[in-house]
Amino acid sequence: MNAYDKNAGVVIPDAQLLADEAEWSSFGDTVHYVDPPKIFRHGEGSWMYDTAETPFLDLQMWYSAVNFGYGNKRLNDTLKRQIDVLPQVASQYLHQTRIELAKTIAVDAQEKFGLKGRVHFNVGGAQAVEDSLKLVRNFKNGKSLMFAFEGGYHGRTLGASSITSSYRYRRRFGHFGERAMFIPFPYPFRRPKGMTPEEYSDACVRQFARLFETEYNGVWDPKVNQAEYAAFYVEPIQGTGGYVIPPKNFFKDLKKVLDQYGILMVVDEIQMGFWRTGKLWSIEHFGVTPDAIVFGKALTNGLNPLSGLWAREEMINPTIFPPGSTHSTFNSNPLGTSLGLEVIKMGYELDYETNVAKKGAHFLDGLKDLQKRHKEIGDVDGLGLALRAEICTDDGFTPNKALLDKMVDIGLAGDLEHNGKKIGLVLDVGGWYKNVITFAPSLDITHEEIDLAIALLDQLLTKAKKAM
């Protein structure tokens, strides 16, 4: 769990590692939250430890990839067993857990959505999004235009960037002629004055539906009853966009419009899947049936890069989507699929649906209490253990990125105090204005650790405000 040089067993000091990173590593493949970047040495449960063995309570858990905690014994043991049985095999051959995992996900979806479907694997979330784009284009006879949401995030590969609303991910890489049309997402905290969240949701759906009103609205040919766009990519809860939770009626109303005009709904569960919200898939909270689901991250608890998609049979059967339609050397590798199978078994056996809901309610109550003591917390919300706190100026509304940046710096410095000892806090920054703490703690976080998190956030906010 330590960092070693070529002389195995010798720990390389932080200063040397940072110097080597500055000289030899591309900065293009990472995000440095603080300067100098933070180095961690090992993790356990909800905690990470730096070189000085300072404990850091992690409320980010690798962007929700480590839903089941660092060093989860059951999952680590699954990985160790698989290494001794079949650690690797070329992806053109079959092995047991690949087939078991595909069946488990597909049967679960059939029971929930009433649709037969199949599962397709890849190695990362963005790659699974790319595969889904191929799937959709193929099913829709080559149509390559998509709808997506303002504030949405689906990855940084070329295809995924085209359906991610942030221009900064496309800016330096040429013209994206087939980028998505980005549609407003109902953001309850920043809704227009005078509207309830539900009225705002209705207005967003009406604005979208208007695109199909006549041929002159731009996307619909009424003479042949055909849309120019193939699918709508949705995150049920916006991830990088700040864990924005739409009103419950939103997706039902949106799906009616999509079905009316023959547009597919592709649901991105890469960050919210695997019980983050208290359901296997976050879309289950909203009462709609997707045409495809893209997943990744917590499928293997961060122990192996494995992702995939589920799609209904008409879209993905071997006749319409034949062998070789996509390929990755490492897709459906046995280490990953054995872990994925165990994650799903464990989730149902340990009743994460019930436990996550209870812990999420406890965490949200703590955030609401914290909000009463700090007027800079403009909004708190949550669904399961996907929670948000929007940091504002003292008017409770104007975004305050600078204050949140200061909070992140202090948290990662490990200078908070608990029981007379130094302690740190790992936070994630998200939101349209980069002023939202997006909380994705371990689903195994204890109620005591949640209480500690609230106490540390109270201390952190007080320190940050004094330092501004």
Side-chain angles (χ1 to χ4, degrees), residues 68-88:
F68 310 99
Y70 297 108
N72 183 293
K73 186 178 187 306
R74 177 168 173 174
L75 298 178
N76 284 7
D77 286 347
T78 297
L79 182 64
K80 294 171 186 176
R81 285 194 301 271
Q82 189 63 42
I83 286 175
D84 290 333
V85 176
L86 182 68
Q88 65 266 98

Side-chain angles (χ1 to χ4, degrees), residues 113-133:
F113 305 123
L115 294 174
K116 187 178 187 306
R118 297 173 186 258
V119 172
H120 176 104
F121 293 111
N122 209 309
V123 294
Q127 289 81 2
V129 168
E130 295 284 345
D131 285 354
S132 73
L133 286 166

Side-chain angles (χ1 to χ4, degrees), residues 137 145 158-159 161-162 167 169-180:
R137 286 183 176 207
L145 294 178
L158 287 174
S161 294
S162 73
Y167 170 53
Y169 301 133
R170 297 186 298 275
R171 181 176 58 82
R172 301 182 311 281
F173 306 112
H175 180 59
F176 284 68
E178 293 178 327
R179 77 172 181 87

Side-chain angles (χ1 to χ4, degrees), residues 88-213:
Q88 65 266 98
V89 64
S91 56
Q92 65 261 44
Y93 305 118
L94 296 176
H95 56 90
Q96 180 171 325
T97 56
R98 179 199 195 282
I99 298 167
E100 282 188 283
L101 179 57
K103 179 182 177 181
T104 298
I105 294 172
V107 169
D108 183 88
Q110 186 167 343
E111 290 173 352
K112 289 172 177 173
F113 305 123
L115 294 174
K116 187 178 187 306
R118 297 173 186 258
V119 172
H120 176 104
F121 293 111
N122 209 309
V123 294
Q127 289 81 2
V129 168
E130 295 284 345
D131 285 354
S132 73
L133 286 166
K134 273 192 169 182
L135 184 81
V136 167
R137 286 183 176 207
N138 181 68
F139 185 64
K140 286 294 188 176
N141 300 312
K143 287 183 181 177
S144 55
L145 294 178
M146 310 294 161
F147 293 111
F149 282 121
E150 295 174 359
Y153 179 86
H154 302 285
R156 300 190 201 186
T157 53
L158 287 174
S161 294
S162 73
I163 58 172
T164 293
S165 64
S166 301
Y167 170 53
R168 70 187 181 98
Y169 301 133
R170 297 186 298 275
R171 181 176 58 82
R172 301 182 311 281
F173 306 112
H175 180 59
F176 284 68
E178 293 178 327
R179 77 172 181 87
M181 181 186 293
F182 297 109
I183 304 300
F185 188 85
Y187 186 162
F189 179 59
R190 299 198 173 275
R191 67 187 183 273
K193 290 183 178 180
M195 281 188 177
T196 66
E198 291 71 25
E199 289 169 341
Y200 183 29
S201 172
D202 292 343
C204 288
V205 173
R206 284 197 306 271
Q207 184 176 341
F208 175 64
R210 186 176 176 274
L211 294 174
F212 304 88
E213 195 170 293

